[in-house]
Amino acid sequence: MSSFNTHRRRVYDERLPARARHANLRSCLVSFAPYGFRATYHHLCFSAGIPRDPEKDPGSLLRAVEELQDARQLWLADERAYVIRRREEKARGSRQTASEGTWRGRQRGWGKIAYCPEPTIHPDEPLPVVVERVLRSSLPPDQAVALTCRVCGNRGDTSAWHDGYHSIHQLCGQCGVSLAVEQADAPDPLLAAAHSRRWKDIWRLRSEFPRDSA
């Protein structure tokens, strides 16, 4: 599979049609998506104002991929620092990761720093701002298990979101980040179908975004 940087270079390649460059932007999200693939894609479409026909504003693709790149650089720096720290701890004989109340205790998958299961509900600040805030966050021991949002600081204000299959997320009532997840009693096929239709509209750029003149 091609790397993030390979796909990013293709987004910049003006020899490629805008649709192909847009497809490479989406491929970048396979490697790094702070809100999860769907919510990060929706955020970038919104923040960069990607139109239904990317040919009408190819620059929007550059705005999107650079916002993602800036956030990724912060994450990579944090990953490097973490690896160095763990090596030093192991050299001192500590094999267990210390509980520091950091974001890593809530990490869900590769690069999911502030997972938002509902693609249209996510923080609206620039990705680098949100990512840096989460990477620097640390909850005291008495709050580490509580429903405290590292993005906006909200605590206790949540809403339940059923994915239509097997999970119910407790979303931050302020920014939509998943603060907890539990097993659903039963799937909801109608809800799952509605979520699927909404996602297809987003995927195909049928949703309305700023600067969209289509």
Side-chain angles (χ1 to χ4, degrees):
M1 184 175 69
S2 298
S3 68
F4 179 96
N5 288 328
T6 296
H7 290 296
R8 177 170 169 259
R9 285 194 295 270
R10 290 172 182 167
V11 174
Y12 271 90
D13 191 345
E14 295 182 353
R15 297 169 299 176
L16 297 175
R19 286 288 178 182
R21 296 164 71 185
H22 176 248
N24 277 281
L25 169 64
R26 294 193 294 206
S27 293
C28 287
L29 296 172
V30 175
S31 299
F32 180 69
Y35 303 155
F37 184 94
R38 296 184 176 191
T40 306
Y41 176 68
H42 181 270
H43 168 83
L44 291 175
C45 289
F46 191 91
S47 67
I50 300 175
R52 294 184 185 181
D53 180 2
E55 292 284 1
K56 294 185 176 181
D57 185 7
S60 65
L61 303 176
L62 306 186
R63 292 192 293 270
V65 79
E66 282 311 297
E67 180 178 350
L68 187 65
Q69 165 70 352
D70 289 346
R72 181 173 176 267
Q73 289 297 101
L74 293 171
W75 175 69
L76 288 174
D78 186 80
E79 287 291 292
R80 289 191 292 267
Y82 176 74
V83 169
I84 292 172
R85 186 168 67 252
R86 284 299 296 139
R87 286 175 179 167
E88 292 173 347
E89 290 171 350
K90 289 179 180 179
R92 295 194 300 267
S94 175
R95 311 300 295 181
Q96 300 251 347
T97 304
S99 177
E100 303 169 337
T102 66
W103 68 280
R104 294 179 185 279
R106 287 282 184 88
Q107 185 179 11
R108 294 186 177 91
W110 188 255
K112 292 180 184 177
I113 293 171
Y115 182 51
C116 302
E118 163 53 62
T120 64
I121 305 177
H122 48 72
D124 56 11
E125 296 174 283
L127 281 179
V129 172
V130 173
V131 167
E132 183 169 29
R133 186 181 301 146
V134 173
L135 295 180
R136 302 291 172 259
S137 68
S138 180
L139 298 180
D142 63 327
Q143 296 183 32
V145 186
L147 299 182
T148 302
C149 181
R150 295 177 184 274
V151 173
C152 65
N154 169 54
R155 184 177 186 183
D157 176 15
T158 64
S159 60
W161 185 84
H162 194 322
D163 66 1
Y165 296 100
H166 307 293
S167 299
I168 296 178
H169 292 262
Q170 292 298 324
L171 305 185
C172 172
Q174 301 297 318
C175 66
V177 171
S178 176
L179 303 180
V181 61
E182 59 187 20
Q183 186 80 14
D185 292 333
D188 186 334
L190 292 180
L191 186 59
H195 290 334
S196 178
R197 287 193 298 270
R198 184 182 302 115
W199 169 241
K200 286 179 180 177
D201 284 343
I202 297 168
W203 180 255
R204 297 168 182 171
L205 294 173
R206 290 176 179 170
S207 296
E208 294 294 334
F209 299 112
R211 293 191 289 272
D212 189 343
S213 59

